[in-house]
Structures are given as C-alpha cells and as structure tokens.
Amino acid sequence: MKLLEINHLNKGFDGKTVLKDISMYVEKGEVVSIIGPSGSGKSTLLRCATFLETMDDGDLSYCEKQVVRSADGKAVYPSKAEMKEAKSKFSLVSPIHVMKRDKEEVFQEAHKILEKVGLSDKLNAYPFELSGGQQQRVAIARALVMNPEILFFDEPTSALDPEITAGILRIMKELAEEKMTMVIVTHEIDFAKAVSDRVIFMDGGLIVEQGKPSDVIDNPKHERTKAFLKKLSV
Ligand code: ADP
Ligand code: MG
C-alpha cells in the first residue's frame, strides 16, 4: 500500500518556482531518502507533504485517500476534519526540536519510547540539560509517541558531531529494521545507501532521478547526480 503519494506538485515563493512537477510515492515499510544540493527544494517538499507549506498545485494522498487535489491548475485542500485525519498519519522530526511538557498522557507514553532511544533517565530533564544528540533522540521519541504511519526527517544529523551523528543514525537504522516507514532528507550518503529502499535525487526543484540506491548512488544516469555525488566524495 502507498502510504504517501504525490503527483505533479508545483510550489513557488514570490513568483519563483521552487518545486517543479514533483511526483513521488512511499510504500508501507519503505525507507526513501531524498538527497541533493542545498536549495534544491528538499525541505520545501517535506514541508508540503506535512502541510507546513501549502502546495500551489498537485495531488497528495495519505494511505490511498486523496487529501489535496488539483482543480483548474490549483491545489484544493479539504475540510479541517479531513486535514486532521491526514495529519495523524505522520510525524516530522525537525532538526533539533525538543519535548515540551504538553499533554500528560503524551509525556507518560514518551517514557517507554525514551527507553527505546536510551534516554529513560531523562524523562524529567529540561531541553537545556540535554546535549544536541540527546535533544535529537528526544525529538525522535516525541515523533514516535504519536504512533505515525510515516516518519519524516529533515537532515536529522546536520547540526551534530560525527560521534553523535553515528548514534542517531543507529537509531534510525533500527527503526528501518523494524520496518518503520521513513522519508529522510540527508547528506549522509553512505547511510542513505545502507538503509534506503529508494533514493530520490533533487536538483533545482526537480526530481532528476529516483530508484534503488545501487542505481542512483552507485550508477547514476544523470550528469547532475554524478556531479553532486562526486563533490560529496572528495
Ligand atoms: P533544500 O532543503 O534542498 O536546501 P529548500 O526547500 O529549503 O531547499 O529551498 C528551496 C528554495 O526555496 C531555496 O531557493 C529557498 O531560498 C527557497 N525558499 C524556501 N522556503 C522559502 C520561503 N519560506 N520563502 C521564500 N523562499 C523560500
Ligand atoms: Mg533543507
């Protein structure tokens, strides 16, 4: 089953096109990595998929139920109730955002999950008492509390030391082994290669190529993909 499907997504800011005719999908149990240079539209794609930005045009479905549809070249969003249902399908782990003490039941559930990420003694800690890596683990725990069908990550390790990065990547790898469906924007190419079922390479607001890591990363077809990977490897 396709947990997420996007077709012909277009998005611009102040007349400048940022996403051009983006079509992608995520099957249940898949890990899909999105790679590409800075400014290529990766975060905007994630933000459109998670309703933090509105699409200008295109179709979007969660769990094979259409949420946003294109009509007369414009994206049409549904009622609040339908949006709420769609939002319950996913969690977004943003770069370092931390546990607020909001709902008590969420906090209780968080204890179990903090155990999973190796931080059960930190349930009562305040964000400023946690290191960057611990904060990121809490952010993952927080996202898991909602029991989402899909987890989205936007460069989860970009602000972290190499050692701490390794720890976070290990947790994500474990989630992948447990068949958690994930969409990961990352610059960690080796990691993307190791955990992804499919890789999407974006450049200039376009999906240049997508496919198995053994194709996109090891045998890229397009010059732009080759140039990007070459830059990362030196
Ligand atoms: P990436 O995540 O691949 O680095 P982004 O999606 O953040 O790329 O940005 C793609 C382009 O969209 C960039 O040119 C960026 O400046 C522009 N952009 C992103 N968000 C906004 C915004 N809120 N307002 C105006 N321009 C934006
Ligand atoms: Mg980004």
Side-chain angles (χ1 to χ4, degrees):
M1 171 156 95
K2 288 193 175 80
L3 293 188
L4 169 66
E5 184 170 10
I6 291 173
N7 282 307
H8 309 298
L9 159 59
N10 287 294
K11 172 71 180 173
F13 292 106
D14 317 314
K16 183 185 152 221
T17 303
V18 168
L19 295 174
K20 295 172 205 163
D21 197 27
I22 297 288
S23 296
M24 52 117 32
Y25 65 90
V26 184
E27 294 272 0
K28 190 173 174 64
E30 267 191 326
V31 177
V32 176
S33 291
I34 303 173
I35 60 172
S38 180
S40 57
K42 305 180 299 296
S43 293
T44 305
L45 172 54
L46 239 57
R47 290 174 63 78
C48 285
T50 55
F51 309 125
L52 293 171
E53 292 284 0
T54 53
M55 300 160 44
D56 294 340
D57 189 18
D59 299 290
L60 184 154
S61 301
Y62 271 104
C63 303
E64 299 183 347
K65 186 168 180 222
Q66 187 153 28
V67 185
V68 185
R69 65 189 174 85
S70 172
D72 301 324
K74 279 183 86 169
V76 179
Y77 280 78
S79 67
K80 248 185 164 174
E82 281 173 272
M83 284 298 285
K84 198 174 167 199
E85 193 200 331
K87 283 179 186 172
S88 74
K89 305 291 184 204
F90 62 80
S91 287
L92 172 66
V93 182
S94 345
I96 321 247
H97 77 70
V98 291
M99 172 106 59
K100 286 196 303 257
R101 294 197 177 198
D102 39 17
K103 291 199 193 94
E104 189 58 28
E105 71 265 30
V106 171
F107 208 66
Q108 290 309 319
E109 185 63 20
H111 194 195
K112 288 184 224 154
I113 293 168
L114 283 172
E115 226 155 48
K116 190 182 176 78
V117 297
L119 285 175
S120 60
D121 59 326
K122 298 292 183 193
L123 183 64
N124 291 304
Y126 284 95
F128 64 80
E129 298 175 293
L130 301 176
S131 69
Q134 286 172 337
Q135 287 184 27
Q136 190 58 293
R137 283 192 272 165
V138 169
I140 294 172
R142 189 178 165 77
L144 287 169
V145 167
M146 300 305 179
N147 201 20
E149 296 272 0
I150 308 185
L151 270 185
F152 290 93
F153 295 85
D154 192 352
E155 299 196 18
T157 61
S158 60
L160 304 176
D161 297 340
E163 201 178 318
I164 293 161
T165 292
I168 299 297
L169 297 182
R170 201 173 316 117
I171 292 169
M172 292 170 71
K173 204 165 174 202
E174 277 167 25
L175 289 169
E177 280 158 9
E178 291 167 18
K179 290 286 162 217
M180 183 77 215
T181 309
M182 297 191 279
V183 179
I184 307 168
V185 172
T186 185
H187 287 300
E188 302 281 345
I189 297 298
D190 292 339
F191 171 74
K193 193 172 143 177
V195 300
S196 307
D197 297 288
R198 280 182 301 112
V199 176
I200 294 173
F201 172 67
M202 290 182 68
D203 195 8
L206 294 165
I207 292 180
V208 176
E209 63 184 297
Q210 56 181 315
K212 291 183 299 216
S214 56
D215 292 329
V216 177
I217 295 177
D218 295 335
N219 289 298
K221 283 190 192 69
H222 292 261
E223 286 310 320
R224 283 156 91 174
T225 321
K226 285 178 196 171
F228 172 72
L229 291 169
K230 201 171 168 192
K231 247 188 232 160
L232 285 188
S233 68
V234 287

